[in-house]
Amino acid sequence: LRRGYPEAVLCDAKTPDQVRRIAAECRERATGAVLFTRADEERAAAALAELPDARHLLEADLVVWPPHPPAPSGGLVVVLSAGTSDLPVAREAEVTARYLGRRTELVVDVGVAGLHRVLGHLELLRTARAVVVAAGMDGALPSVVAGLVPSPVVAVPTSVGYGASLGGIAALLTMLNSCAPGVAVVNIDNGYGAGHLAAQIAAPTSQPDA
Amino acid sequence: LRRGYPEAVLCDAKTPDQVRRIAAECRERATGAVLFTRADEERAAAALAELPDARHLLEADLVVWPPHPPAPSGGLVVVLSAGTSDLPVAREAEVTARYLGRRTELVVDVGVAGLHRVLGHLELLRTARAVVVAAGMDGALPSVVAGLVPSPVVAVPTSVGYGASLGGIAALLTMLNSCAPGVAVVNIDNGYGAGHLAAQIAAPTSQPDA
Amino acid sequence: LRRGYPEAVLCDAKTPDQVRRIAAECRERATGAVLFTRADEERAAAALAELPDARHLLEADLVVWPPHPPAPSGGLVVVLSAGTSDLPVAREAEVTARYLGRRTELVVDVGVAGLHRVLGHLELLRTARAVVVAAGMDGALPSVVAGLVPSPVVAVPTSVGYGASLGGIAALLTMLNSCAPGVAVVNIDNGYGAGHLAAQIAAPTSQPDA
Amino acid sequence: LRRGYPEAVLCDAKTPDQVRRIAAECRERATGAVLFTRADEERAAAALAELPDARHLLEADLVVWPPHPPAPSGGLVVVLSAGTSDLPVAREAEVTARYLGRRTELVVDVGVAGLHRVLGHLELLRTARAVVVAAGMDGALPSVVAGLVPSPVVAVPTSVGYGASLGGIAALLTMLNSCAPGVAVVNIDNGYGAGHLAAQIAAPTSQPDA
Amino acid sequence: LRRGYPEAVLCDAKTPDQVRRIAAECRERATGAVLFTRADEERAAAALAELPDARHLLEADLVVWPPHPPAPSGGLVVVLSAGTSDLPVAREAEVTARYLGRRTELVVDVGVAGLHRVLGHLELLRTARAVVVAAGMDGALPSVVAGLVPSPVVAVPTSVGYGASLGGIAALLTMLNSCAPGVAVVNIDNGYGAGHLAAQIAAPTSQPDA
Amino acid sequence: LRRGYPEAVLCDAKTPDQVRRIAAECRERATGAVLFTRADEERAAAALAELPDARHLLEADLVVWPPHPPAPSGGLVVVLSAGTSDLPVAREAEVTARYLGRRTELVVDVGVAGLHRVLGHLELLRTARAVVVAAGMDGALPSVVAGLVPSPVVAVPTSVGYGASLGGIAALLTMLNSCAPGVAVVNIDNGYGAGHLAAQIAAPTSQPDA
Amino acid sequence: LRRGYPEAVLCDAKTPDQVRRIAAECRERATGAVLFTRADEERAAAALAELPDARHLLEADLVVWPPHPPAPSGGLVVVLSAGTSDLPVAREAEVTARYLGRRTELVVDVGVAGLHRVLGHLELLRTARAVVVAAGMDGALPSVVAGLVPSPVVAVPTSVGYGASLGGIAALLTMLNSCAPGVAVVNIDNGYGAGHLAAQIAAPTSQPDA
Amino acid sequence: LRRGYPEAVLCDAKTPDQVRRIAAECRERATGAVLFTRADEERAAAALAELPDARHLLEADLVVWPPHPPAPSGGLVVVLSAGTSDLPVAREAEVTARYLGRRTELVVDVGVAGLHRVLGHLELLRTARAVVVAAGMDGALPSVVAGLVPSPVVAVPTSVGYGASLGGIAALLTMLNSCAPGVAVVNIDNGYGAGHLAAQIAAPTSQPDA
Ligand SMILES: Nc1ncnc2c1ncn2[C@@H]1O[C@H](COP(=O)(O)O)[C@@H](O)[C@H]1O
Ligand SMILES: Nc1ncnc2c1ncn2[C@@H]1O[C@H](COP(=O)(O)O)[C@@H](O)[C@H]1O
Ligand SMILES: Nc1ncnc2c1ncn2[C@@H]1O[C@H](COP(=O)(O)O)[C@@H](O)[C@H]1O
Ligand SMILES: Nc1ncnc2c1ncn2[C@@H]1O[C@H](COP(=O)(O)O)[C@@H](O)[C@H]1O
Ligand SMILES: [Mg+2]
Ligand SMILES: [Mg+2]
Ligand SMILES: [Mg+2]
Ligand SMILES: [Mg+2]
Ligand SMILES: [Mg+2]
Ligand SMILES: [Mg+2]
Ligand SMILES: [Mg+2]
Ligand SMILES: [Mg+2]
């Protein structure tokens, strides 16, 4: 366990064989929980070959081991997906936060072009201890949400878009320049990182308050 | 008159002497209206030396000749300034549209971090035939406005911001990637171009409808 | 209907399954017109499975429902394609404007390297209430056209080109820096957005003039 | 109060006169605490002219009103400055967190080229509920710190450097690509945003745990 | 003499003292013609202190020695300036070509937004053996000219513009992507290089034809 | 014939069907010579289906019609290929210049890392009226060649390289910043454009000298 | 032999046929050692067809001829791989240094997020005469290592990562901005170049010391 | 002493007061040698106020303490300056290497446009154990030199140039893409880093050879 959280193995630049060897090591060292992120069919199969009781969460390209999340502790993590196309990233964030021990809620298709949909979820948003917002194209949603809630907003730009979206750079820049404070930015399509950060923010506090 | 609209002289890359000579030509050829844009003190003085009845609109860095706008025709142009710092660009747009013959309204400090302020102007926005939105930093306001009004939104990114705002490039990209259709983008800080385009959109129609 | 215009569904970052579910919702809610944009064979089939009377416009990668455009109203939209290679984008713009209720004309292969071809269409161009110009490579055509017509020019850069065209960024920058005012820029290859904006500009005016 | 936190006024793109008018409004509306950020001599004087009991924190270019921070609540915020040149940004973050109600500690000159210095502060770092790391040039410090502590690391890239540091873009990219999870990135030189985010993360929890 | 052409000394990154020493060497070695380019007041004075019979061409920031151009040989070089603001670069090109031994003509203010002005010079353009075109902002003029003349067009982008002109990069990219062949591109604001290249193209042929 | 030179049809962004229709038009209008550039197997076949006596030059991805180049006139064009990998671009340039009526010579594998190879061809280089240099990676060869010959150097950057070669942008920038004057730059991989420009430069002069 | 080192042939932009012809030449001219870099299956086979006693080092995409490295001379080269995904680049560096005549050691998976692993190899690192560090994502490892060892660190950024890693540009910039001196940067994924440089640095000194 | 080399203090982003305090600490702790780099008049004076026997090397913007370099050891470092304008960076490299204990030679104005000048120094270059090459604009010189000498070439791009030189980025990319192996790249204008690296490469070997 790194600093108390499950280890993660980024699979996409590894060969299936490398993934298998790492999975075998996990089993042998019995290290505690591990997440295999960005695992396509082939790499997921490699992990499952060594860790047969692991669970493959297809919609998030994740393999998790052990297969069930821990009992939830700390505060609520709400994950927003601006469009349907941002869903895979939003789900990766949600699953990660859940397997790191938080309660989670996922809300889909609440882009800024339809403000009433965002505003319709205000009550839920205000009970969150951390909000993750996945958005591509203009990446405008985190600015709007950060203006509405007191908790930190973890903004994860997605590569959804084309042309001048520059593979997510446009959304990334929008988020870094948010006119509302309280926006924590992570890398493009980094649902895992967003979920991890949200889980840390919403963690139960071990140290006493000031 | 170019295509029926006043000529414009972009002053900032010209010497005061060049500005003066162009102003003299305008007087001699009696060409009709002319706008001297991005005219600092020195260049404005150069224009006024040859066209003493011209008017210097300080807050928009414009010198206009003749000094009064034409009687308004066509539809209403509403100009929004996301923040106080975007005001010079917003004013350049408003004055340009007015001197090209439109009725105009200017609304200030309606950034997306305070949605209620935008929503408070909804009625006015919906009577506009063109809306100009000036915004820097995240440049998120045009997406929100375009989702609320039926008329075209002319989005003018400003260079307000720092770091990853890249001198307005971040806001420019946001606007080009707007998740709401109906957003017409112009160059960074191009208040003149935004006002001109809005005036064309809101022009009285000379051709009959289909 | 968003603000009076048909809804659009951007298909390329959605799975066929997501497209099908959205199409089913459209049918059930009977929402009014809808455009499925950037729909390849597979996604078009998914939409048609739920909306069998929809129409697949292959040359523009669009599925439209209902299958016929509304009776035209407002002014004429003229669409120019600089080269043969820009045609798919130009057609997407034209079809969109037509299905949003405008009369449209399409003119092909009028690049600036052969000025006489542009000049040969001057009369038609001057009757338009909005002109859409699709151009890749140097993206120079909108500047030339905007210098010739009184109506707004909607400039849509295409990704046609190679090397320093940077996937359309070169043409995009050209258009944003047009030395003629009156150019409204949209995202690279965004034929849908260009057609939508042109349709809004050329819409019949509901509000009285000033 | 926005969402329970003091309002902030970004001064650098405003005229001294605009700053003065905003300060007067604050006094009249008695809105609660306000921070004037990026306030140079002239703009600080403008704020103080209307709010004479405000306090000018020179080393952080901040004017705060009322002059004293609230009694601290929530967890500890530790601010690290990689080099001496990053100090102004680090101080802006520290002062912001303090005036938003947190206990703070500032540690200076702990760059990765001298690991023993970082490691020497490990105990303090592990008691923090949020760590802010300001670093320019290679921006490598947040990755190292995030690998050592369980709490979130707010990474603020600075524009310290030259050549290929690209005004802080190099450090920004490093931080977005951190090989350790738990890094929340804000804009270049955005000490205010970093301090605000850290204060939110370390806030006393009002909602009960799961 | 480098390859038969005068030597050139780029002054802007040299100290006045370095310029003076180079000028002294020229006098002593009696090397033949030399051009001091980008010479501001101070550096021009430094050159003249050692070469008192040199000539300072203020409008092109050039000091030339000996003071008179050679008798013209080869073909005609026509230099076009798209706008008034591009004049300094256009003049640098013209003077360079003249001092390298060509006949030259300079035509000003022939931007693509006013096509009739370009077309009005067609006869002159068609007698040129090389045409230099200086243009900023959209940089569209070389494409138009190259479509009209049989000789090579040397395109020199200028840094005239703002925002998305990116200091001349936009115009540079336009020129590199010209849809008309026959465009030779040089660096931004490189009037000297453009004039040199044009002079080489229009040089009298020493080698016999095929 | 455009301005006296064969027409060219850029095939890569056209469908085979579009290519075929253009080829048919060429045959019917009997327009004179035409080059189909960037023609892969499929597009070349489409052109040949309508113009059976055309010639497919595989090594340069060109289809030429009529199949034989005109009798050479004007000066010699020498084409250099820095590495073996730059050959396709170098050949496209050579064939283009030949079919536009020039004598040509091709020299391969003369990169700057082996200076003696460049120097070994000096005599040939000095008889050229135009030199084309194709180079990828560092793109340093044109600077070296331009320092050795009196004629213009047409520099064509290639996309050969990886990583920080940025698809040819690195070589392009090198060439634009050549420390030797006399370098005419064209787009990345634009062998056709380089050959066309060289053919124009080396054309027989119709206008008398000054 | 170039300057005493084996020749290298970069295969990836060459056709298999070109590779075969070069291999044949090597055999015929008996030039001494040669390395075929970035040789995929097909290109490796082409080289082996002409040089059957050559050796294909699959894990480094290298074909070496003759098949055995020379007897080692000079100092030790230590190669570090930050993550498992950086291994192919690290191996290319190691093999290259070995075939250029150096003793080598390879250490894997020592990223900065787990400092203890780096520190665990300190003794080995301090005996090296050159250290190669391959790292992707944040590219932070070379800064840390250069702060710990007296010998030069050759930093090779890898393209491992996604989104804002920009294909290795992020890691490249980090390394160029290292806050520790003594870092020599090579191109992204250039394991060959890194190994070559390290071999030169660690070469036995032929010239006497000062 | 860091790893056996003098400490360096980068002055440009520090206040004179910060520089003075650091200088005082050096004196008090008697740490051994120190270099104050990028020290303008004011900051140099601040250092000298505390370390009166330090030496200010104006031409390299360095303050060194103690004032004399150590007795030279190891191999020769040759520093090349491509143009006169690159001299400050070349001198910073040379002085740094000298104060780190190496013999040094400086050769000026040997750009690739005049190859004979480079070739005239070949004998000296081949006795160097490390060669530093400072070059701006096209940055082509290191490729040429690396093809001529057996020792490593430390390439330092300078910001000399304009337009598409992008403040030294063009030269930096050229060097990273050198077609000759053996080029170690450092940051733009980083003469200090280049000299430090060269001094390490040319250091006397303490470890025995293999
Ligand atoms: N999807 C992901 N995106 C970004 N970082 C990740 C991801 N998955 C794992 N990581 C991090 O990448 C580090 C390197 O992974 P590895 O190469 O598997 O050792 C792990 O320690 C994780 O913190
Ligand atoms: N502020 C401005 N921003 C962008 N374009 C402008 C501006 N002012 C004038 N222009 C346009 O720039 C063109 C060139 O101006 P000039 O160089 O004055 O001939 C004019 O015809 C205007 O259309
Ligand atoms: N390989 C090429 N690279 C760049 N431009 C080309 C190329 N081939 C043709 N062209 C130019 O592109 C223009 C547009 O071609 P088209 O789309 O075929 O009408 C032609 O007029 C040619 O001048
Ligand atoms: N993997 C590689 N990366 C970078 N440069 C290389 C690589 N392999 C070979 N080279 C260099 O590229 C030069 C050109 O190779 P070639 O095109 O094979 O003549 C050779 O002289 C090598 O120095
Ligand atoms: Mg939607
Ligand atoms: Mg505000
Ligand atoms: Mg055409
Ligand atoms: Mg320090
Ligand atoms: Mg003009
Ligand atoms: Mg070779
Ligand atoms: Mg790992
Ligand atoms: Mg020189």
Side-chain angles (χ1 to χ4, degrees), chain D residues 50-95:
Chain D
E50 299 290 337
L51 299 165
D53 63 328
R55 186 162 162 205
H56 187 184
L57 298 156
L58 267 165
E59 75 282 5
D61 283 335
L62 274 167
V63 173
V64 287
W65 184 76
H68 299 296
S73 65
L76 174 70
V77 171
V78 174
V79 179
L80 299 188
S81 180
T84 309
S85 311
D86 305 310
L87 252 177
V89 176
R91 277 196 189 117
E92 189 188 13
E94 196 213 354
V95 170

Coordinates of all heavy atoms in Angstrom, one line a residue, chain D residues 50-95:
Chain D
E50 N -9.9 53.6 0.4 CA -11.4 53.4 0.7 C -11.5 52.6 1.9 O -12.6 52.6 2.6 CB -12.1 52.8 -0.5 CG -12.1 53.6 -1.8 CD -13.0 54.9 -1.6 OE1 -13.9 54.9 -0.8 OE2 -12.7 55.8 -2.4
L51 N -10.5 51.7 2.2 CA -10.6 50.8 3.3 C -9.4 51.0 4.2 O -8.4 50.2 4.2 CB -10.7 49.3 2.8 CG -11.8 48.9 1.9 CD1 -11.6 47.6 1.2 CD2 -13.1 48.8 2.8
P52 N -9.3 52.1 4.9 CA -8.0 52.5 5.6 C -7.6 51.5 6.6 O -6.4 51.4 7.0 CB -8.4 53.8 6.3 CG -9.8 54.2 5.9 CD -10.4 53.1 5.2
D53 N -8.5 50.7 7.2 CA -8.0 49.7 8.2 C -7.6 48.3 7.5 O -7.4 47.4 8.2 CB -9.1 49.4 9.2 CG -10.4 48.9 8.6 OD1 -10.7 49.2 7.4 OD2 -11.1 48.1 9.3
A54 N -7.6 48.3 6.2 CA -7.2 47.1 5.5 C -5.7 46.9 5.7 O -5.0 47.9 6.1 CB -7.5 47.1 4.0
R55 N -5.1 45.8 5.4 CA -3.7 45.5 5.6 C -3.0 45.1 4.3 O -3.5 44.3 3.6 CB -3.6 44.3 6.6 CG -2.2 44.1 7.1 CD -2.1 43.3 8.3 NE -0.9 42.6 8.6 CZ -0.7 41.5 9.3 NH1 -1.8 41.0 9.9 NH2 0.5 41.0 9.5
H56 N -1.9 45.7 4.1 CA -1.2 45.5 2.8 C 0.0 44.5 3.1 O 0.9 44.8 3.8 CB -0.6 46.8 2.3 CG 0.0 46.6 0.9 ND1 0.7 47.6 0.3 CD2 0.1 45.5 0.1 CE1 1.2 47.2 -0.9 NE2 0.8 45.9 -1.0
L57 N -0.1 43.3 2.6 CA 0.9 42.3 2.8 C 1.8 42.3 1.6 O 1.6 41.6 0.6 CB 0.2 40.9 3.0 CG -0.7 40.8 4.2 CD1 -1.7 39.7 4.1 CD2 0.2 40.6 5.5
L58 N 2.9 43.1 1.8 CA 3.8 43.4 0.6 C 4.4 42.2 0.0 O 4.4 42.1 -1.2 CB 4.9 44.3 1.1 CG 4.6 45.8 1.0 CD1 5.6 46.6 1.8 CD2 4.7 46.2 -0.5
E59 N 4.9 41.3 0.8 CA 5.6 40.1 0.3 C 4.7 39.2 -0.6 O 5.2 38.3 -1.2 CB 6.3 39.4 1.4 CG 5.4 38.5 2.2 CD 4.6 39.3 3.3 OE1 4.7 40.5 3.3 OE2 3.9 38.7 4.1
A60 N 3.4 39.4 -0.5 CA 2.5 38.5 -1.2 C 1.6 39.4 -2.2 O 0.7 38.8 -2.8 CB 1.6 37.7 -0.3
D61 N 1.9 40.7 -2.3 CA 1.1 41.5 -3.2 C -0.4 41.5 -2.9 O -1.2 41.5 -3.8 CB 1.3 41.2 -4.6 CG 2.7 41.8 -5.1 OD1 3.2 42.7 -4.5 OD2 3.2 41.2 -6.1
L62 N -0.8 41.3 -1.6 CA -2.2 41.2 -1.2 C -2.6 42.3 -0.3 O -1.8 42.8 0.5 CB -2.4 39.9 -0.4 CG -2.6 38.6 -1.2 CD1 -2.5 37.4 -0.2 CD2 -4.0 38.6 -1.8
V63 N -3.8 42.8 -0.5 CA -4.4 43.7 0.5 C -5.6 42.9 1.1 O -6.4 42.4 0.3 CB -4.9 45.0 -0.1 CG1 -5.7 45.8 0.9 CG2 -3.7 45.8 -0.6
V64 N -5.7 42.8 2.4 CA -6.7 42.0 3.1 C -7.6 42.9 3.9 O -7.1 43.8 4.6 CB -6.1 40.9 3.9 CG1 -5.6 39.8 3.0 CG2 -5.0 41.4 4.9
W65 N -8.8 42.6 4.0 CA -9.8 43.4 4.8 C -10.9 42.5 5.3 O -11.5 41.8 4.4 CB -10.4 44.5 3.9 CG -11.2 45.5 4.7 CD1 -10.9 46.4 5.6 CD2 -12.7 45.5 4.7 NE1 -12.0 47.1 6.1 CE2 -13.1 46.5 5.5 CE3 -13.6 44.8 3.9 CZ2 -14.5 46.8 5.8 CZ3 -15.0 45.1 4.1 CH2 -15.4 46.1 5.0
P66 N -11.2 42.4 6.5 CA -10.5 43.1 7.6 C -9.1 42.7 7.8 O -8.7 41.7 7.2 CB -11.4 42.7 8.8 CG -12.0 41.4 8.5 CD -12.2 41.5 7.0
P67 N -8.3 43.4 8.6 CA -6.8 43.2 8.6 C -6.4 41.9 9.3 O -5.2 41.6 9.1 CB -6.3 44.4 9.4 CG -7.5 44.9 10.2 CD -8.7 44.6 9.5
H68 N -7.2 41.3 10.1 CA -6.7 40.1 10.8 C -7.4 38.8 10.3 O -8.6 38.9 10.0 CB -6.9 40.2 12.3 CG -6.1 41.4 12.8 ND1 -4.7 41.5 12.7 CD2 -6.5 42.6 13.3 CE1 -4.3 42.6 13.2 NE2 -5.4 43.3 13.5
P69 N -6.7 37.7 10.2 CA -7.3 36.5 9.7 C -8.3 36.0 10.8 O -8.2 36.3 12.0 CB -6.1 35.5 9.6 CG -5.0 36.1 10.4 CD -5.3 37.6 10.5
P70 N -9.3 35.2 10.4 CA -10.2 34.6 11.4 C -9.4 33.6 12.3 O -8.3 33.2 11.9 CB -11.2 33.9 10.5 CG -10.5 33.6 9.2 CD -9.5 34.7 9.0
A71 N -10.1 33.2 13.4 CA -9.5 32.1 14.2 C -9.4 30.9 13.4 O -10.4 30.5 12.7 CB -10.4 31.9 15.4
P72 N -8.3 30.2 13.4 CA -8.1 29.0 12.6 C -9.0 27.8 12.9 O -9.3 27.6 14.1 CB -6.6 28.6 12.8 CG -6.2 29.3 14.0 CD -7.1 30.4 14.2
S73 N -9.4 27.1 11.9 CA -10.3 25.9 12.1 C -9.8 24.9 11.0 O -9.0 25.3 10.1 CB -11.7 26.3 11.9 OG -12.0 26.7 10.6
G74 N -10.3 23.7 11.1 CA -9.9 22.6 10.2 C -8.5 22.2 10.4 O -7.9 22.3 11.5
G75 N -7.9 21.6 9.3 CA -6.5 21.0 9.4 C -5.4 22.0 9.0 O -5.6 23.1 8.6
L76 N -4.2 21.5 9.1 CA -3.0 22.3 8.8 C -2.7 22.3 7.3 O -2.8 21.3 6.6 CB -1.8 21.7 9.5 CG -0.4 22.3 9.3 CD1 -0.3 23.7 9.9 CD2 0.7 21.4 9.8
V77 N -2.3 23.5 6.8 CA -1.9 23.6 5.4 C -0.4 23.9 5.5 O 0.1 24.9 6.0 CB -2.6 24.8 4.7 CG1 -2.0 25.1 3.3 CG2 -4.1 24.4 4.5
V78 N 0.4 23.0 4.9 CA 1.9 23.3 4.8 C 2.2 23.8 3.3 O 1.8 23.1 2.4 CB 2.7 22.0 5.1 CG1 4.2 22.3 4.8 CG2 2.5 21.6 6.5
V79 N 3.0 24.8 3.2 CA 3.3 25.4 1.9 C 4.8 25.2 1.7 O 5.6 25.7 2.6 CB 3.0 26.9 1.8 CG1 3.4 27.5 0.5 CG2 1.5 27.1 2.1
L80 N 5.2 24.6 0.6 CA 6.7 24.4 0.3 C 7.0 25.3 -0.9 O 6.3 25.4 -1.9 CB 6.9 23.0 -0.1 CG 6.7 21.8 0.8 CD1 7.3 20.5 0.2 CD2 7.4 22.1 2.2
S81 N 8.2 25.9 -0.8 CA 8.7 26.7 -1.9 C 10.0 26.0 -2.3 O 11.0 25.9 -1.6 CB 9.1 28.1 -1.4 OG 9.6 28.9 -2.5
A82 N 10.0 25.5 -3.6 CA 11.2 24.8 -4.1 C 12.4 25.6 -4.0 O 13.5 25.2 -3.6 CB 10.9 24.3 -5.5
G83 N 12.4 26.9 -4.5 CA 13.5 27.7 -4.5 C 13.2 29.1 -3.9 O 12.0 29.4 -3.6
T84 N 14.2 29.9 -3.7 CA 14.0 31.2 -3.1 C 13.2 32.1 -4.1 O 12.4 32.9 -3.7 CB 15.4 31.9 -2.9 OG1 16.2 31.0 -2.2 CG2 15.2 33.2 -2.2
S85 N 13.4 31.8 -5.4 CA 12.7 32.6 -6.4 C 11.2 32.3 -6.4 O 10.4 33.1 -7.0 CB 13.3 32.4 -7.8 OG 14.7 32.5 -7.7
D86 N 10.7 31.2 -5.9 CA 9.3 30.8 -5.9 C 8.6 31.4 -4.7 O 7.4 31.2 -4.5 CB 9.2 29.3 -5.9 CG 9.9 28.6 -7.0 OD1 9.7 29.1 -8.2 OD2 10.7 27.7 -6.8
L87 N 9.3 32.1 -3.8 CA 8.7 32.6 -2.6 C 7.5 33.5 -2.7 O 6.5 33.3 -2.0 CB 9.8 33.4 -1.8 CG 10.3 32.6 -0.5 CD1 11.4 33.4 0.1 CD2 9.2 32.4 0.4
P88 N 7.5 34.5 -3.6 CA 6.3 35.3 -3.7 C 5.0 34.5 -3.9 O 4.0 34.8 -3.3 CB 6.6 36.2 -4.9 CG 8.0 36.3 -5.0 CD 8.5 34.9 -4.6
V89 N 5.1 33.5 -4.8 CA 3.9 32.7 -5.1 C 3.6 31.8 -3.8 O 2.4 31.7 -3.4 CB 4.2 31.8 -6.3 CG1 3.0 30.8 -6.5 CG2 4.4 32.6 -7.5
A90 N 4.6 31.3 -3.2 CA 4.3 30.5 -2.0 C 3.7 31.3 -0.9 O 2.8 30.9 -0.2 CB 5.7 29.9 -1.5
R91 N 4.2 32.5 -0.7 CA 3.6 33.4 0.3 C 2.2 33.8 0.0 O 1.3 33.9 0.9 CB 4.5 34.7 0.4 CG 5.7 34.5 1.3 CD 6.2 35.8 1.7 NE 7.5 35.6 2.3 CZ 8.7 36.1 1.9 NH1 8.7 36.8 0.7 NH2 9.8 35.9 2.5
E92 N 1.9 34.0 -1.3 CA 0.5 34.3 -1.6 C -0.4 33.2 -1.2 O -1.5 33.4 -0.7 CB 0.4 34.6 -3.1 CG -0.9 35.2 -3.6 CD -1.1 35.3 -5.1 OE1 -0.3 34.7 -5.9 OE2 -2.0 36.0 -5.5
A93 N 0.1 31.9 -1.5 CA -0.7 30.8 -1.1 C -0.9 30.7 0.4 O -2.0 30.5 0.9 CB 0.0 29.5 -1.6
E94 N 0.2 30.9 1.1 CA 0.1 30.8 2.6 C -0.9 31.8 3.2 O -1.7 31.5 4.0 CB 1.5 30.9 3.2 CG 1.5 30.4 4.6 CD 2.5 31.2 5.5 OE1 3.2 32.1 5.0 OE2 2.5 30.9 6.7
V95 N -0.7 33.1 2.8 CA -1.5 34.1 3.3 C -3.0 33.9 3.0 O -3.9 34.0 3.8 CB -1.1 35.5 2.8 CG1 -2.1 36.6 3.2 CG2 0.3 35.8 3.4

